Amino acid sequence: MHPRRLPSGPQSLIAIAFAATLAASGAPARAETCSSTEGDTLPDALPMRDFAVRLGARIDACATDARRPDAERFCAEHGLECSAARVRDHVRVRTLFEMTRDGGPFRLRWSITDREPTARHIWAAWRQRPPLASSAEPSATAECDELSALFAGLARRLDVRGVGLFWPTSNHAIAAWDVTPTVRVLVPTSQIFLACDATFDRTTFSPSKQRFVYELGPAGAPDTLPVPRPLAAFLLDQVAHYAGASLDVLAMIRTHRALRFDSSVPASCGADVAAAAKALRARPLSPSDRRALSRYGSTELGLSAPSAEATLDRLAR
């Protein structure tokens, strides 16, 4: 694999991003709340451009309050002005990263596939067999560059600029976000070559390994690609249940899920899961953390009486 320049699409206007997209697509404008899509009126299929509008609105509604402190710390660490637009971009990128990474709530599994660095195969697998809400199985299997392409492509659709593929080594790809010409964030969508705690903007890779990061365009999922209602409902529901959880809860669940999938997370990370679950069991949990833990216990662990406490007890074993 070698980095290549990919089309980036037309320039977006951040100030009117979602309103303009809704108007142009003909999709009905509506105020998004952080709730599941059960009972919502979704069409049989949404064009990808319309699904992206709904996804962005769902992330904004579900994740902004939880991720704003992270955005403020991020800006302080990198010497950035923490404007409303900067916070919005960080919330969307950070949430997409958690959703799309190996073992994340979209239930993707890393494995070697020897396919091109595009999200096309992930969308094809999802469309052919939309994931079930209650399932212990991965929703799709993809290699490191495919996971990174999915993340980068969705970030571009949510009007975040400067996100593309990054090759820290000749045989491995992650994503990177050039926030400004001088601030580059590495985004490891798998744990290949990394320790258990490596995450967004926290890796042992060198940001200078690659000179340019080229934005990823929509080639893997064009505007008109139909997103079937069951697939749209699953992805939006996963955002609703997980996006507002604390980062330590998300990390613990993701690691446990990835270990179940036998993916890129080292087996030694299991001890971290147990330790984290015991620590969380001893402290009060926020409603968002309870929601995420109960969702994981009920839909993926098959607990007969799912609750946050029951899920933590299972993960602490």
Side-chain angles (χ1 to χ4, degrees), residues 92-102 104-105 151 187-191 198-201 254:
R92 292 180 179 179
V93 169
R94 193 69 169 86
T95 303
L96 279 177
F97 166 63
E98 295 296 341
M99 296 294 123
T100 59
R101 64 193 298 195
D102 175 28
F151 162 76
V187 186
T189 51
S190 72
Q191 298 302 115
T199 187
F200 182 90
D201 203 23
R254 180 197 66 85

Side-chain angles (χ1 to χ4, degrees), residues 8-312:
S8 61
Q11 176 72 33
S12 298
L13 298 176
I14 289 179
I16 57 172
F18 272 8
T21 306
L22 281 167
S25 66
R30 63 191 182 96
E32 184 63 81
T33 59
C34 188
S35 61
S36 72
T37 56
E38 296 171 6
D40 275 10
T41 304
L42 288 172
D44 289 341
L46 295 86
M48 180 61 67
R49 60 175 176 267
D50 293 355
F51 168 74
V53 171
R54 289 179 183 261
L55 178 63
R58 182 63 57 89
I59 288 174
D60 290 346
C62 296
T64 298
D65 288 345
R67 298 285 84 83
R68 183 178 286 110
D70 306 314
E72 292 170 352
R73 285 193 292 271
F74 174 81
C75 291
E77 287 178 6
H78 292 283
L80 299 168
E81 178 187 358
C82 213
S83 62
R86 186 82 71 201
V87 170
R88 188 209 71 161
D89 285 357
H90 185 275
V91 168
R92 292 180 179 179
V93 169
R94 193 69 169 86
T95 303
L96 279 177
F97 166 63
E98 295 296 341
M99 296 294 123
T100 59
R101 64 193 298 195
D102 175 28
F106 287 175
R107 298 211 309 256
L108 290 161
R109 172 183 180 267
W110 172 89
S111 186
I112 295 174
T113 64
D114 290 327
R115 296 190 295 234
E116 288 293 303
T118 171
R120 178 167 55 90
H121 294 285
I122 296 175
W123 285 110
W126 277 349
R127 293 176 67 243
Q128 182 177 8
R129 187 181 179 187
L132 298 174
S134 293
S135 173
E137 299 300 317
S139 66
T141 296
E143 203 163 352
C144 51
D145 50 4
E146 296 176 280
L147 297 172
S148 299
L150 177 69
F151 162 76
L154 285 173
R156 181 65 188 87
R157 286 200 171 277
L158 268 57
D159 294 303
V160 180
R161 306 307 304 263
V163 182
L165 301 189
F166 184 90
W167 276 258
T169 68
S170 62
N171 60 344
H172 178 50
I174 61 172
W177 179 24
D178 280 352
V179 186
T180 71
T182 58
V183 175
R184 172 172 292 175
V185 174
L186 299 187
V187 186
T189 51
S190 72
Q191 298 302 115
I192 298 299
F193 301 140
L194 293 171
C196 301
D197 59 349
T199 187
F200 182 90
D201 203 23
R202 295 287 187 273
T203 77
T204 51
F205 296 135
S206 170
S208 61
K209 182 70 175 179
Q210 183 174 311
R211 186 175 180 185
F212 297 110
V213 172
Y214 298 107
E215 282 187 335
L216 206 65
D223 283 352
T224 57
L225 182 75
V227 181
R229 176 167 50 194
L231 173 57
F234 170 78
L235 298 175
L236 294 172
D237 281 355
Q238 291 296 87
V239 171
H241 283 90
Y242 288 103
S246 59
L247 293 177
D248 53 352
V249 165
L250 290 175
M252 178 188 64
I253 293 175
R254 180 197 66 85
T255 303
H256 189 266
R257 185 187 286 116
L259 289 170
R260 287 197 297 106
F261 290 169
D262 189 24
S263 59
S264 70
V265 174
S268 59
C269 298
D272 294 346
V273 171
K278 291 174 183 176
L280 287 165
R281 195 68 172 87
R283 81 182 197 200
L285 296 170
S286 71
S288 294
D289 283 347
R290 288 185 170 278
R291 186 178 193 182
L293 288 163
S294 297
R295 174 77 166 184
Y296 187 53
S298 63
T299 61
E300 299 185 54
L301 300 184
L303 299 181
S304 57
S307 67
E309 288 76 14
T311 302
L312 288 173

